[in-house]
Each structure stands twice: as structure tokens, then as C-alpha cells.
Amino acid sequence: MKIVIDARVLGTSTGVYAENLLNHLQTLDSTNEYIVLIRKADSWRPTAENFRTILAPIPDYTFTEQIRLAWMIYTLKPDLVHFCMPQQPLLYIGKRVTTVHDLTLVRFENIDMNPFLYRLRKAIFTLMLRNVIWRSKAVLAPTEFVRSDILNFTSPSHTDKVVTTLEAGDPLAATSEPIEKLAGKQFIFFVGNAFPYKNLRRIVEAYIKLKMSRPELELVFAGKKDYFYEQLEGFAREQGAKDIHILGYISEGKKRWLFQNAQAYVVASLSEGFHIPGLEAMYEGCPVVSSNATCLPEVNGDAALYFDPTSTGELVKALTLITTDKAVREQQIARGHKRVKEFSWARMATETKAVYDKILKS
């Protein structure tokens, strides 16, 4: 059987999922033929003989995607197509599997353009997503929370087709790279984008209050600098916040050093589909302070101190506890080391292949 995997998402944060899926499928399946669609020639290289790549430098959410990508897939004559993201050509009507990582783009607004144009695009995306879920033979979700959210968004009648294939996290392989200006300092850390639903202003507000009693503490954000990080930087200035570092994009080695040296990793999100950095922090012995929203308790288990993401006071209490109580800190680090062992990319790939097999036999 011939399976096409649309992995154009490689090279992005969500691309970690596609990369791990592809790597593990190569060890699981030597029978089916796999054709992997990628945007850049060096984004992924197969090692198995039954895998090959085809360049598909086609932008998301464009007419080119709807027409050219559909034509490309038709010419490949696949028995099954797996789209690793919801964006896909609606003109393609063959058997498909779609991974929906979360419904954040439906639930929240991240306006960085003309508001009318943004809301128009959001409405189109929402309609497209409903259509994609309806057309797909199976929809893969990274957590039980997302699976439930998809069913509530569409219809309980899709119960059998929406399948949880739990994602995972990995130890960071890069050598730790110190950041000179933070060496020897005590700091709290977050890595990721600054979309409004990430709730980073709440972290800034809590940090300002915490710094009154812990003046030595500093706050570090890492993530690609964009409109939303510029807005956060302006907010921090308006609040008179001191010792906040917005590093921009960082290497894996610097991220590893930050996890290893942070007093805590904090995530205040109002919505997540999985959130891999929390598990990366646990691997590196960094205690996690987490919002109790959406999937985060499901992923972090007992290896995080939780707070209501709408409450600055609760976040201050959690950060105070983790940065001042040595026993609690050591307990959470130990729980983190245990928690990460409950996740496996190999298991995710095995469960995904089982979905493929079921559809191909139908």
C-alpha cells in the first residue's frame, strides 16, 4: 500500500510531532511505501528504503495549496494520505487521516493584522476544519482533552473516528550552552510564542509581585520575537518591571542550559494541546509551575504545581513555594523524572500505524 504523509510542518514547533512520527514509522513498517511531502530538501531525510521524500514548497491556506497540492497528491495515487495539520486541499477526496493538535485557533483570537481580515480568515478556517474532520477517516488528537474538545466542536457521532495518540517529549540532545548575562543568577523561565492565549502578561504581573519579596529573581522569556513579544515588552515597561529578559529565538543548547539553571519553568496558558517544553523541563530537573487549564494537568500529572491562569495571586503563591521550599522543589523534580517515562514517541507511532492499518483494510 502507498501512504502519503504531508509533513510540510517540519521545521516548526509542531514539526517535532511529524519528525518523531516519521522516524519511528521507519522502524515499525518495512512493508508499505511511504511518500513524505516536505517544504525544504534538508528538513528530513529517510533512512529506510520504503520511504522517500518529495518537495512540496506550497504555502498553507492558499489557493495554491487547494489546487496544486491536490493535483500533486492525485498524481501519486496513494491509498491513504496523512495530513499532519488541518490545512489541506479540500479538492482531494481520497482516504485521509488528519492530526488536529488543538482548537486554539478556533477558541482564541491572536490578532496581529487588520481585525476584519483576521476574523474573516478565522471564520474560513473554522468552516474548513469542520469539513476536514467530517471528511477524514480518522482524526488524531495528542491528548484526551483535545479529543473531547474536537467531539464537542463537531459531533459526538464522530466518537469512533477521533483517536488519541498521546504525544511525548525528549531529552534535549544538544550540549548545554551557557548564557553569559544570566550565569549565576536566579531566574524563572518560559519558552514559546507570545500569543495572547499564552497569558504571558499574567507571568509578568506575578513576577512583579514576587520580586518584592525576592528581589534577586529575574524573568526570562525565549521565543521568536514578533508582534506579540513586542507587545509584551511594552507591557513590561509600562508596569515598571525590572530584570526581564526577552531573548528571542534560542538554540537547543541554550534552552537546555536555561532549563538546567532556572528556579522554575512556568506555563500560564489558557489553552494547550500538549505542551512539550514542560516535559523537556522535567528531563532537565527543572520544576514546573503550570496553569490548570485544558490538557496541562493531563500531561504534567503530579509533576507540576498548578494555579488558576486567571489568578495572579495563585501564580505568585506557586512560584513562591517552588523557589523557597527546598523539600517541595526536590519532590517536584523527582516527580518530573518519573512523569516523563510515561510518554513515548514510539508508542504514538505504533498507535498511528494501527489507525493506518484499520483504514487500509476497510
Side-chain angles (χ1 to χ4, degrees), residues 7-203:
R8 291 174 299 141
V9 72
L10 286 165
T12 69
S13 58
T14 311
V16 174
Y17 161 81
E19 183 176 5
N20 278 283
L21 173 64
L22 293 169
N23 290 341
H24 287 285
L25 281 175
Q26 289 185 110
T27 65
L28 289 171
D29 191 351
S30 59
T31 303
N32 292 307
E33 176 187 358
Y34 286 86
I35 301 172
V36 182
L37 306 182
I38 58 177
R39 280 204 173 96
K40 297 179 181 179
D42 60 349
S43 59
W44 185 76
R45 297 183 185 278
T47 57
E49 293 183 357
N50 58 321
F51 282 71
R52 64 187 174 99
T53 59
I54 291 181
L55 280 176
I58 300 170
D60 298 329
Y61 308 113
T62 61
F63 285 112
T64 305
E65 182 178 62
Q66 292 301 311
I67 298 170
R68 184 180 166 196
L69 184 59
W71 177 252
M72 179 181 289
I73 294 171
Y74 275 122
T75 60
L76 294 172
K77 299 180 180 179
D79 298 291
L80 177 66
V81 181
H82 180 182
F83 294 97
C84 291
M85 289 285 282
Q87 55 264 34
Q88 55 194 259
L90 299 180
L91 292 175
Y92 181 71
I93 59 172
K95 289 183 178 179
R96 74 181 78 190
V97 172
T98 300
T99 300
V100 177
H101 297 274
D102 58 60
L103 297 182
T104 302
L105 292 179
V106 175
R107 304 298 189 202
F108 294 87
E109 292 190 332
N110 303 305
I111 301 176
D112 59 352
M113 60 174 70
N114 178 282
F116 174 78
L117 180 59
Y118 174 87
R119 292 191 174 102
L120 176 62
R121 291 177 64 177
K122 179 179 176 180
I124 293 170
F125 171 78
T126 302
L127 289 172
M128 185 205 74
L129 182 58
R130 290 185 186 277
N131 186 279
V132 163
I133 293 170
W134 177 74
R135 288 188 179 202
S136 297
K137 292 292 184 181
V139 176
L140 307 183
T143 55
E144 286 295 327
F145 171 83
V146 175
R147 179 179 183 273
S148 176
D149 205 22
I150 291 169
L151 292 174
N152 289 333
F153 172 68
T154 53
S155 167
S157 64
H158 294 315
T159 297
D160 292 338
K161 77 154 79 174
V162 184
V163 181
T164 301
T165 54
L166 200 64
E167 293 183 8
D170 285 318
L172 296 170
T175 301
S176 183
E177 297 177 40
I179 298 174
E180 187 175 346
K181 67 180 179 179
L182 294 172
K185 295 185 177 180
Q186 297 185 37
F187 58 87
I188 299 158
F189 175 47
F190 168 81
V191 60
N193 64 56
F195 292 149
Y197 73 87
K198 291 290 186 178
N199 204 23
L200 300 190
R201 291 189 178 196
R202 185 75 60 193
I203 297 177

